[in-house]
Amino acid sequence: MPKQVDHEERRRRIADAVCALIDEQGLEAATLRDVAARAQVSMGAVQRCFRTKGEMLHFAVAHIGRQVTDRARTRLLAAPAQSPASTVGHLAHELALLQTRHRAQARTWLAFLAAAAVDPALAAGLRTSYADLEALLTRLIAEATDQALGPATDHPLWPATDRLDPAREARTLLALADGLTAHVLIGHRTTEEAEQLLHDHLARLWA
């Protein structure tokens, strides 16, 4: 009986190979032939999973995003009593990719960003990833604000117009996390400095 192939698992395996090659040699290294060799599958297997190199790269970008959010989810499940504010903090730290063990992923993500500046299709995929992350951060920030201050209509000393705008704060936080990724990667900030900057920003949100 022929062996069953887990199509999605193979796509993830290929995406891991794409990311490893980009981390080591840059985006140009992610050719179909080299990806197939790194993933230990045939060229035909890669082409059955992805019709074009562009489609393969788009999947790899989304794959990194899923890995980051999965890590954040695992971290939260390990401590289910976390407050909404702590949840925002955990997610922001995961998004910033500040830890040494995440350096390869940070290098790969920035390589995708650089390529997207001249590749409209890749840029569109990144915008989708950012939009999804912004939506998640917006929801979590709104929940944290309500927990810290109470619903806007129930807090007469803090008018709704003076409260945080969750969408604006989500955009700011995502931009800060991205910037810190780059600053740590090039050595402009240490991991500890970047973590402190992120911590200070989060602490001011509900001060």
Side-chain angles (χ1 to χ4, degrees):
M1 198 175 167
K3 184 179 179 180
Q4 292 286 332
V5 174
D6 185 332
H7 189 67
E8 282 306 306
E9 174 57 33
R10 176 167 286 179
R11 282 163 65 89
R12 290 190 292 270
R13 181 176 173 183
I14 291 170
D16 284 335
V18 169
C19 293
L21 286 168
I22 292 174
D23 171 46
E24 294 166 4
Q25 304 173 50
L27 200 70
E28 65 280 357
T31 65
L32 292 176
R33 184 178 302 280
D34 287 343
V35 167
R38 187 59 174 261
Q40 298 183 319
V41 298
S42 67
M43 279 277 290
V46 175
Q47 292 169 322
R48 283 191 292 276
C49 288
F50 304 104
R51 292 168 296 178
T52 64
K53 179 179 177 179
E55 187 176 297
M56 181 177 70
L57 292 178
H58 298 162
F59 183 85
V61 167
H63 182 60
I64 291 177
R66 283 191 295 270
Q67 288 178 321
V68 171
T69 52
D70 284 349
R71 279 202 304 269
R73 188 176 298 111
T74 298
R75 186 172 176 177
L76 294 170
L77 288 174
Q82 295 290 328
S83 68
S86 296
T87 301
V88 173
H90 288 327
L91 180 57
H93 277 84
E94 291 296 345
L95 292 176
L97 299 171
L98 299 178
Q99 297 300 312
T100 302
R101 64 183 180 275
H102 299 148
R103 285 289 189 275
Q105 206 165 52
R107 287 190 292 267
T108 305
W109 182 256
L110 291 185
F112 277 128
L113 283 178
V118 293
D119 183 338
L122 190 56
L126 283 169
R127 287 197 299 273
T128 297
S129 293
Y130 278 129
D132 290 343
L133 289 171
E134 276 186 20
L136 176 58
L137 282 169
T138 297
R139 178 175 62 79
L140 292 174
I141 290 171
E143 290 175 3
T145 302
D146 285 346
Q147 185 181 74
L149 305 175
T153 54
D154 295 334
H155 203 289
L157 299 181
W158 199 301
T161 53
D162 293 339
R163 292 161 68 92
L164 293 179
D165 177 342
R168 181 187 63 208
E169 297 301 336
R171 290 192 295 269
T172 301
L173 186 54
L174 189 56
L176 175 61
D178 242 15
L180 291 175
T181 302
H183 285 198
V184 169
L185 203 58
I186 66 171
H188 181 59
R189 292 277 178 247
T190 65
T191 295
E192 293 73 23
E193 289 172 336
E195 288 181 335
Q196 189 62 52
L197 284 166
L198 192 53
H199 173 78
D200 291 346
H201 176 79
L202 289 164
R204 285 193 294 270
L205 288 181
W206 297 285

